[in-house]
Amino acid sequence: MNAETTSPAQKIILDCDPGHDDAIAMLLAHGNPNLELLAVTTVAGNQTLEKVTTNARALARVGNITGIPFAAGASRPLVGPQLIPDEIHGESGLDGPELPAPGVPLEDTHAVNLIAQVIQDNEPGSVVIVPTGSLTNIALFARMYPELVERVGGVTLMGGGHHTGNMTPAAEFNILADPDAAAIVFEESWPVTMIGLDVTHQVLAVPDRMEQLKAIGTDVAQFIAELVEFFGASYMKERNYPGPPMHDPLAVAAVADPSVVRTIRAPIYVETQGAHARGQTIVDFRRTWSNNDPSGLGLVDDPEATSPNTSVAVDVDTDKFWDLLFDALRRIGDTNFKS
Ligand code: RIB
Ligand code: CA
């Protein structure tokens, strides 16, 4: 949509596995005026590739997202079996509200090829890739199109965490779903910003926020409220949370307005082995550089080390996040997707 902006909107590609929070992320990407959603690609994760792709196309109808390509990507990780957390997202991957029929056709090309085409068609450095699922597609892109990596403006991903996991004590789902792909993505030369559980667990869709959401009064806001109701029940049952974390929307929000998170530039390593630590994202805070304000963690720039290309979000302005989401939904308005 990106109407009424003074500076050019930031172009993004959303690579996702809808997934309740992916769905909210997609609508935020569509409605926020500082973003221009160029393409949506899917990867197996919250459910099978077929299901998350059907969900993504149906969400296009919910949000009246038209004129951009949707393509399906990897159906399993580079190595090992596909993890599917159906205890959180349900049998369809988007259980809760009734979904409309898919609103957009599926491109007759693999997601990786679509990502490459979009990167080639846009100015170098002008497109940020926002993965909100496992990183299989992004790793394949880096390996199939190495000459395009330097044209990518950055990768702002939902995944990992510097102090906790959710699938294991050490690993967050998007990383654990394909640790080998994650290692490739973090080791590449492009700038990577990790929006991990450290911050997403601070942005919970608690009842007060749900009242604000419902007060928007549109059919899309009501749809999200029904998504959150299911998502929240899963999180309460499985993890005793007072509200489900807005994991994926926070990654999109961090691109729409980087001040929504505080980030620190530091080396980040992905553990691909280990009985207990496979999928862990290890942040070396011994070697760090404050990105956008004094770290507040007593960390100072290390003039000796070479500057890492990876950053980790360490704090979040939750009010600013919710303001961004509610504003995007007001801009989308009613789409009459049920008619
Ligand atoms: O761990 C949370 C992440 O895993 C989110 O992206 C959620 O959608 C699932 O993919
Ligand atoms: Ca996701």
Side-chain angles (χ1 to χ4, degrees), residues 17-335:
D17 61 338
H20 292 71
D21 51 333
D22 302 77
I24 301 168
M26 189 189 299
L27 293 167
L28 172 56
H30 174 55
N32 180 272
N34 299 331
L35 298 175
E36 182 182 356
L37 182 59
L38 297 180
V40 175
T41 53
T42 57
V43 61
N46 285 324
Q47 258 302 345
T48 63
L49 178 67
E50 181 186 6
K51 291 182 178 178
V52 301
T53 303
T54 298
N55 292 342
R57 296 169 59 206
L59 289 165
R61 178 71 191 88
V62 172
N64 193 26
I65 301 172
T66 58
I68 67 168
F70 283 59
S75 60
R76 53 173 295 189
L78 300 181
V79 179
Q82 180 62 46
L83 296 179
I84 293 186
D86 52 14
E87 74 282 358
I88 297 290
H89 298 276
E91 182 55 32
S92 73
L94 211 48
D95 283 13
E98 185 179 345
L99 279 180
V104 290
L106 195 59
E107 296 294 309
D108 183 21
T109 187
H110 192 282
V112 174
N113 297 328
L114 177 58
I115 292 170
Q117 190 61 57
V118 169
I119 297 299
Q120 282 171 320
D121 291 348
N122 287 272
E123 286 300 306
S126 68
V127 180
V128 170
I129 301 174
V130 184
T132 62
S134 79
L135 292 166
T136 315
N137 289 340
I138 316 307
L140 290 171
F141 166 80
R143 288 292 183 267
M144 288 172 61
Y145 296 93
E147 75 284 1
L148 295 182
V149 167
E150 64 184 8
R151 284 180 71 98
V152 174
V155 177
T156 296
L157 62 91
M158 192 281 137
H162 66 71
H163 82 286
T164 187
N166 56 10
M167 294 300 284
T168 73
E172 176 278 328
F173 174 76
N174 287 340
I175 307 298
L176 185 63
D178 196 340
D180 304 282
I184 288 171
V185 171
F186 277 87
E187 286 165 7
E188 269 300 345
S189 57
W190 47 31
V192 175
T193 301
M194 180 171 88
I195 307 296
L197 299 178
D198 320 290
V199 286
T200 67
H201 281 172
Q202 296 180 49
V203 190
L204 304 182
V206 292
D208 287 356
R209 294 299 186 184
M210 287 304 97
E211 290 315 309
Q212 289 178 285
L213 171 68
K214 291 174 186 170
I216 295 172
T218 62
D219 54 4
V220 177
Q222 179 56 33
F223 175 82
I224 290 184
E226 292 170 21
L227 280 180
V228 171
E229 189 175 339
F230 179 89
F231 193 32
S234 302
Y235 256 88
M236 173 58 79
K237 176 168 176 280
E238 296 295 327
R239 299 185 183 149
N240 203 30
Y241 274 47
M246 293 291 100
H247 300 295
D248 298 338
L250 185 56
V252 170
V255 181
D257 179 350
S259 70
V260 80
V261 290
R262 180 156 57 84
T263 59
I264 289 178
R265 205 158 30 147
I268 302 176
Y269 308 102
V270 179
E271 179 55 72
T272 59
Q273 309 298 322
H276 302 288
R278 177 170 162 83
Q280 183 175 10
T281 49
I282 299 159
V283 182
D284 188 353
F285 282 114
R286 298 172 303 162
R287 320 293 299 276
T288 187
W289 295 256
S290 54
N291 270 351
N292 46 16
D293 63 15
S295 72
L297 296 176
L299 303 169
V300 293
D301 284 1
D302 176 346
E304 296 308 314
T306 54
S307 168
N309 62 311
T310 48
S311 296
V312 56
V314 293
D315 207 354
V316 54
D317 182 330
T318 55
D319 288 339
K320 189 171 283 189
F321 166 79
W322 289 108
D323 289 347
L324 283 168
L325 177 58
F326 295 154
D327 172 71
L329 293 175
R330 289 189 193 97
R331 291 172 184 268
I332 292 173
D334 281 305
T335 62

